[in-house]
Amino acid sequence: NDFIQLTGNDDNALDFNSRGGVGSISVTANIAPKLCSDFQKASMMENNIDEKKEAIKLDKILQPIHNSMFIESNPSPVKYAAKLLGLCEDDVRLPLVRATEPTKAIIKKALVLANLL
């Protein structure tokens, strides 16, 4: 019971938590901390059907964001999403480059779908 198991993949957190995991080391939480926190809390309530339904609903909202964060090398997509939210600029150090225009469009769409923009 005192061994804590976390996933490093945002996109599989629902399944991971339902199989005994207790959270994630999340990239998306940098962009949508409240949604990710609410999702994690709901997904931990394994015996509460309403909470499970809430976790599934939040997972569907978060999946497009999760996916958009990994289209290109991290941290470029995260930095661009943070820029859209007014948190920072999207500058990265070489050899990394900023997210491409097609990726930026996908990230923006995911944030709009999640009502973050």
Side-chain angles (χ1 to χ4, degrees), residues 44-61:
M44 294 296 150
M45 305 295 285
E46 57 193 49
N47 295 323
N48 184 320
I49 193 69
D50 291 331
E51 291 292 329
K52 274 296 190 195
K53 287 180 183 177
E54 181 67 11
I56 291 167
K57 179 185 122 190
L58 292 170
D59 187 59
K60 287 179 182 175
I61 293 168

Side-chain angles (χ1 to χ4, degrees), residues 18-114:
S18 71
R19 295 173 187 264
V22 293
S24 74
I25 300 168
S26 175
V27 171
T28 304
N30 291 290
I31 303 306
K34 175 86 167 100
L35 281 172
C36 288
S37 175
D38 291 348
F39 163 76
Q40 288 295 332
K41 288 175 190 170
S43 70
M44 294 296 150
M45 305 295 285
E46 57 193 49
N47 295 323
N48 184 320
I49 193 69
D50 291 331
E51 291 292 329
K52 274 296 190 195
K53 287 180 183 177
E54 181 67 11
I56 291 167
K57 179 185 122 190
L58 292 170
D59 187 59
K60 287 179 182 175
I61 293 168
L62 287 164
Q63 281 301 326
I65 302 172
H66 299 328
N67 294 331
S68 74
M69 294 297 103
F70 295 98
I71 295 171
E72 294 182 20
S73 297
N74 191 13
S76 299
V78 179
K79 295 277 287 198
Y80 179 69
K83 178 182 179 177
L84 289 175
L85 297 172
L87 300 173
C88 67
E89 289 302 315
D90 62 343
D91 297 327
V92 292
R93 289 180 277 159
L94 291 173
L96 299 173
V97 295
R98 289 182 172 148
T100 63
E101 293 305 317
T103 297
K104 288 178 179 182
I106 294 168
I107 293 167
K108 188 171 186 177
K109 181 179 179 183
L111 296 180
V112 168
L113 288 172

